[in-house]
Amino acid sequence: MAHAMSSARPMVAESAERFGTEKRIAGINILIAFTFLAVGGLMGVLQVLNYNGIDLYPAIKPVLPGGYYQGLSLHGVLNVLVFTTFYIIGFLTFIFAKALDKPMASPAMAWVTLGVMTTGLLTAAVPLLLNQATVLFTFYPPLKASSLYYIGLTLVVAGTWLLLVNMILTRNAWLKANPGKITPLPAFMALVTMSMWTIATIGIASEMIFLLIPWSLGLVQGTDVILARTLFWFTGHPIVYFWLLPAYVSWYTLVPQHAGGKLFSEPMARVSFILFLILSVPIGIHHQITDPGISEAWKLVHATFTFVVFFPSLLTFFNVVASLEYSGRKRGGKGWLTWIFSLPWGKPEFTTQVVAMLLFAFGGIGGLVNASYNLDLVVHNTAWISGHFHLTVGTAVALSFMGITYWLVPHITGRALWSRRMALAQAWTWFVGMGIFSHFMHELGLRGMPRRTMIGGAPYVLDSWKVLLPMTMVGGLIMFFSAALYYLNMIMTISAGQKDSRTQEVVFAKAVSGPEDVPAILDRFTPWLAVAAVLILVNYGPTLFNLVTNARLNIPGLSPW
Ligand code: HAS
Ligand code: CU
C-alpha cells in the first residue's frame, strides 16, 4: 500500500513538474499581458468620455502630462502590442509543448525569450509614461519619439523570434522520436503562426534598425516617411493575423472539446492556416491606399489579395460552426438552428469564445469594405476603422483570450475559477457593450467623424455626430463594467480560488475528419514558405525597390506635443 502510494506520488509530481516551465512562462506572460491591458483599457474609458465632453485629462495631468494623445498612444501600444504579444508568446509556448506532449527543447531559451521581451517592454514604457513617445501605436514619422521607445519595441519583437527557434528545435526532436508521424494540429498551428509572424517582422525590424533608431539617436538628420510607413505596414497588416491565429488555435482545437464535441475537419483547418502563412504578408499596402509614392497598380494588387485572405477566415467560419453544430446535435439538439440552444452556454470558457466569434463575423464583413479600394477612400481614417478593429482585435482576439484564461488560469494555478456566473456575465456584457460601441463607431465614421482625434476638443463636431456620440459612451461604460468583472474574478481566483487538484486537464478536441485524413503536404513547411517568399517578392519587390532606391533621409522629426 505504502509502496503503491509512493509510486503514485512521484508520477503526479513528475507530470506536474513536466510542463512546469511552460506553465510558469504562460502564467507570467498572461499576468504581464493583463496588467498592461488594465492601463491601456482605462485609457479607452477616458477617450470615450472625452468624446462626450467629459474631459478627465486635466485631473490626471501629474501622471499623464500629455493628455488625450498620450493616453491614446498608451491605449494602442499597451492593448495591441503589449497585451497581445505577451499573451500569445505565453499561450503558444504552453499549447505547443502540450500538443507535442514534450517540454520545450530549451527551457533556458524560453526564459531568455521572456527576459528579452520584458526588458524591451520596460525600456519602451519609460518614454511612453514620460510623454516622450506620444506617437500612437503606428509611430509614423515625422512624429519622433525617444530612441528608447523604438529600441524597446524592437527588443520585444526580437524576443519573440526566440520562441520560433525553440519551437523548431522541439519539433525536430519530436520528429526524431516519432518518425513518420504527423505534427499534432495545435502544434502545427502554433508553428505556422510563429513562422508567419517572424517573416512579417522583417518590415518593422528594418524600419527600426535602418530608419527610426539611427534617426532618433541623431545619427542621421532626417528620415523617409513613405518608406517608413511601407515597412511598418509590411508588419502592421500581418500582425493582425498574429493576434488572430492564436484565437483560431483555441477555436479549432479547444472550443469543440469545451462544447463536448469534435472538430469538423482537421485537413480543412490546416489548409486555412497554410493560406494564412502564404497570404498574410503580401497585402499590407491595403493600409496605404491613400498614401502617395506607391503606384495604384500595386495598391490594387494588394487589395485583391486581401480578398483572397478572406477565404481562410471563411473556411474557419464554416469549420468552427460545423463543429459547434456537431456538438449541439450530439447533446440532443434538433432542427436547422435550434441545436444552438443545446450548446453548453453555462460554461464560461465556451460562451466567452463563442460570443467573440459572433461579433467577429461583423468585424470580418467590415474588413471587406476596407479592402475594397474605392470604398476605403470613404472610411479610411474615420471612426469606422476604430469600429472595425474593436470587433476584430478588441473582441475576436481580446475576448477569446479572456475566455481561454477561464480554464487556463485554473489549470496553471490549481485554483478553481472564483465565479463562473460572473465570468458568464462578463462575456455577455462585453458582447453587448462592444456591439453598441462598435456599431456607433462605424456609423460615425460613415458620417465623416475622423479617428485618432480629440473630438471633445474639436470645433467642427457636426450635429449628426452629436446625436450618436452618447451611444459610444454607453457601449464603452458597459465594456468598462465587463472588464471590472473580469479583473475581479481573476484576482479572486488567483488569491482565493478553491484549491482544486481536478482543474481541467488540457484536452485537445478530436476531429470527425482527423489526422488520418491529412495528406503529407499539409504537414510540411518548406513548400509553403517558398510560396510565401515568392508572393512577398512579387507583391512588395517593385514598390520596395522603388522606395529604397529613391529614399531621401531628409524629413526632420517633429514632437509637437
Ligand atoms: Fe482589419 C484596418 C481589412 C481582419 C485589425 N484592421 C485594421 C486596423 C486594425 C485591424 C487594428 O483592407 C487598423 C490599423 C490602423 O491603425 O490603421 N481586416 C481586413 C480584412 C479582414 C480583416 C479583409 N483586421 C482583421 C483582424 C484584425 C484586424 C482579424 C485584428 C485581429 N483592416 C482591413 C483593411 C484595413 C484594416 C483594408 C485598412 C483600412 C484603412 O483604411 O486604414 C479579414 O481578414 C476578416 C475576415 C473575417 C471573417 C469573419 C469570420 C468569422 C468567424 C467566426 C465564425 C463563428 C461564428 C459563431 C459566427 C470572414 C471565423 C457562430 C455561433 C453559433 C452559436 C452558431
Ligand atoms: Cu490590414
Side-chain angles (χ1 to χ4, degrees), residues 178-430:
N178 297 275
K181 263 203 179 170
I182 189 161
T183 319
L185 182 62
F188 175 79
M189 290 177 152
L191 200 48
V192 167
T193 307
M194 289 312 296
S195 309
M196 184 281 285
W197 167 243
T198 302
I199 299 170
T201 54
I202 295 171
I204 209 170
S206 315
E207 183 194 8
M208 292 294 195
I209 293 167
F210 298 117
L211 296 174
L212 301 184
I213 292 176
W215 178 55
S216 62
L217 288 172
L219 302 176
V220 290
Q221 290 318 305
T223 196
D224 187 308
V225 169
I226 287 295
L227 176 58
R229 287 167 71 104
T230 308
L231 291 173
F232 178 84
W233 287 116
F234 184 102
T235 306
H237 175 73
I239 202 175
V240 312
Y241 298 126
F242 171 61
W243 304 330
L244 180 69
L245 294 188
Y248 276 9
V249 170
S250 170
W251 295 0
Y252 276 116
T253 71
L254 291 155
V255 170
Q257 180 71 22
H258 301 322
K262 285 183 179 177
L263 168 64
F264 177 69
S265 166
E266 170 167 343
M268 198 178 176
R270 285 175 181 259
V271 169
S272 166
F273 266 62
I274 288 170
L275 286 173
F276 278 115
L277 179 63
I278 62 184
L279 291 164
S280 291
V281 181
I283 60 179
I285 295 179
H286 70 215
H287 291 268
Q288 298 181 277
I289 303 281
T290 61
D291 280 10
I294 299 173
S295 94
E296 276 83 26
W298 288 113
K299 288 178 181 172
L300 193 61
V301 169
H302 280 234
T304 309
F305 272 85
T306 307
F307 283 99
V308 185
V309 86
F310 203 68
F311 281 93
S313 282
L314 289 183
L315 290 179
T316 304
F317 194 138
F318 182 82
N319 212 348
V320 168
V321 175
S323 311
L324 293 180
E325 179 174 354
Y326 178 91
S327 314
R329 296 200 184 283
K330 206 175 145 209
R331 297 166 59 92
K334 299 251 156 30
W336 275 28
L337 285 175
T338 38
W339 53 264
I340 292 173
F341 299 108
S342 305
L343 291 170
W345 293 104
K347 266 191 177 176
E349 64 274 32
F350 170 82
T351 299
T352 310
Q353 298 189 62
V354 176
V355 300
M357 294 174 197
L358 284 169
L359 282 190
F360 184 50
F362 297 97
I365 294 166
L368 276 194
V369 172
N370 306 346
S372 310
Y373 195 129
N374 48 352
L375 289 183
D376 186 58
L377 300 177
V378 178
V379 296
H380 183 62
N381 274 345
T382 71
W384 167 284
I385 303 296
S386 317
H388 165 68
F389 66 68
H390 279 84
L391 293 179
T392 51
V393 65
T395 304
V397 174
L399 187 55
S400 292
F401 286 3
M402 292 181 197
I404 291 167
T405 60
Y406 285 143
W407 67 264
L408 183 54
V409 169
H411 175 77
I412 292 174
T413 58
R415 287 176 183 271
L417 185 63
W418 189 62
S419 167
R420 293 168 65 84
R421 287 179 62 183
M422 189 184 271
L424 288 169
Q426 185 272 319
W428 286 108
T429 44
W430 193 271

Side-chain angles (χ1 to χ4, degrees), residues 401-531:
F401 286 3
M402 292 181 197
I404 291 167
T405 60
Y406 285 143
W407 67 264
L408 183 54
V409 169
H411 175 77
I412 292 174
T413 58
R415 287 176 183 271
L417 185 63
W418 189 62
S419 167
R420 293 168 65 84
R421 287 179 62 183
M422 189 184 271
L424 288 169
Q426 185 272 319
W428 286 108
T429 44
W430 193 271
F431 178 76
V432 172
M434 191 61 98
I436 296 174
F437 174 79
S438 68
H439 172 79
F440 287 97
M441 289 296 279
H442 278 95
E443 179 63 39
L444 281 160
L446 293 180
R447 296 180 185 198
M449 191 176 97
R451 68 182 278 210
R452 300 185 144 178
T453 303
M454 187 174 160
I455 294 295
Y460 50 77
V461 174
L462 303 180
D463 286 340
S464 63
W465 309 347
K466 281 191 187 143
V467 291
L468 299 186
L469 280 168
M471 292 310 289
T472 62
M473 183 164 67
V474 171
L477 291 178
I478 296 176
M479 275 188 274
F480 178 52
F481 175 70
S482 172
L485 293 181
Y486 178 79
Y487 281 97
L488 177 63
N489 208 355
M490 276 299 143
I491 292 168
M492 293 309 288
T493 300
I494 300 170
S495 59
Q498 263 184 18
K499 284 270 180 203
D500 184 355
S501 55
R502 293 161 302 127
T503 51
Q504 280 188 37
E505 230 334 293
V506 188
V507 183
F508 295 106
K510 297 212 162 34
V512 178
S513 168
E516 63 287 351
D517 299 329
V518 171
I521 187 74
L522 296 185
D523 195 40
R524 296 196 47 204
F525 280 84
T526 323
W528 306 118
L529 289 171
V531 178

Side-chain angles (χ1 to χ4, degrees), residues 21-44:
T21 304
E22 288 76 10
K23 275 191 180 178
R24 265 174 237 128
I25 295 274
I28 297 170
N29 271 284
I30 291 173
L31 188 66
I32 297 175
F34 278 99
T35 306
F36 283 84
L37 181 70
V39 180
L42 279 176
M43 294 301 128

